[in-house]
Amino acid sequence: MHIRDATGEDLPAILAIYNDVVTNTTAIYDEHPSTLEERRAWFDARRKRGLPILVADVEGATVGFSSFGEWRARWGYRYTVEHSVHVRADCRGRGLGRALIEALFPRATAMGMHTMIAHIDSAAAASLRLHEKLGFRRIGTFHEVGKLRAGWLSVVAMQRDVDQAPGP
């Protein structure tokens, strides 16, 4: 596995991973798959702002991606980012998500960030455990703030400082 900066050539794989997550999980609170044009606009906007988009490459195949963006638009939040990470369904549980998140920490630090936020579906036990192992701490739960085909969904808020020594 190799973690690298994403290129435009990765967009079809990123789109396929994203849409699989939208369709088959509750990790992204959306009910409509994205289009390639929407993913390209997301990609271009992140790149224009100097924000990272990383991919996990396994034998030439893009099997996961991670990124971060601003957490809130107000000036006072300028040292806080919120990340996202998604791994292709058949590649989960192999450490790719961990590697993709860990690769974001030095990028955030280099940009002068202080805190990284994660919002995780409360039923995503594996993701919650992973984030705890990476030094994120649970801040609280937003109860029944989303609704999809599975019914009402709750979100666990987690955070980790990125400008200090790594977590456990």
Side-chain angles (χ1 to χ4, degrees):
M1 171 197 45
H2 175 63
I3 304 295
R4 61 173 174 77
D5 288 300
T7 69
E9 293 177 2
D10 294 305
L11 281 173
I14 289 171
L15 176 67
I17 294 165
Y18 184 89
N19 283 343
D20 179 65
V21 171
V22 167
T23 303
N24 296 306
T25 77
T26 55
I28 300 172
Y29 287 15
D30 200 346
E31 63 182 346
H32 301 291
S34 187
T35 65
L36 186 58
E37 294 76 26
E38 289 167 338
R39 285 290 92 192
R40 187 173 314 282
W42 166 83
F43 182 88
D44 292 344
R46 297 255 165 141
R47 287 292 181 204
K48 183 177 181 180
R49 292 177 29 226
L51 298 169
I53 302 169
L54 307 176
V55 295
D57 184 309
V58 175
E59 298 178 3
T62 299
V63 298
F65 69 96
S66 65
S67 184
F68 63 71
E70 69 182 12
W71 179 53
R72 296 284 186 264
R74 296 204 193 291
W75 185 79
Y77 298 116
R78 70 191 177 281
Y79 299 110
T80 302
V81 292
E82 181 176 3
H83 84 284
S84 61
V85 59
H86 301 290
V87 175
R88 202 172 71 189
D90 63 331
C91 295
R92 294 181 191 140
R94 299 183 191 173
L96 298 171
R98 180 183 188 108
L100 283 162
I101 296 169
E102 287 178 323
L104 291 174
F105 296 151
R107 302 290 184 106
T109 300
M111 293 176 70
M113 296 298 118
H114 174 65
T115 301
M116 187 173 287
I117 301 290
H119 286 112
I120 303 167
D121 183 73
S122 64
S127 185
L128 292 167
R129 280 192 308 273
L130 169 62
H131 282 77
E132 287 172 342
K133 289 177 184 175
L134 289 171
F136 284 81
R137 54 191 196 281
R138 291 180 190 228
I139 303 306
T141 301
F142 297 100
H143 296 278
E144 296 185 355
V145 293
K147 189 172 186 181
L148 292 174
R149 61 204 166 275
W152 287 107
L153 304 171
S154 298
V155 175
V156 176
M158 301 183 82
Q159 78 178 61
R160 178 191 193 275
D161 292 346
V162 294
D163 60 353
Q164 298 176 3

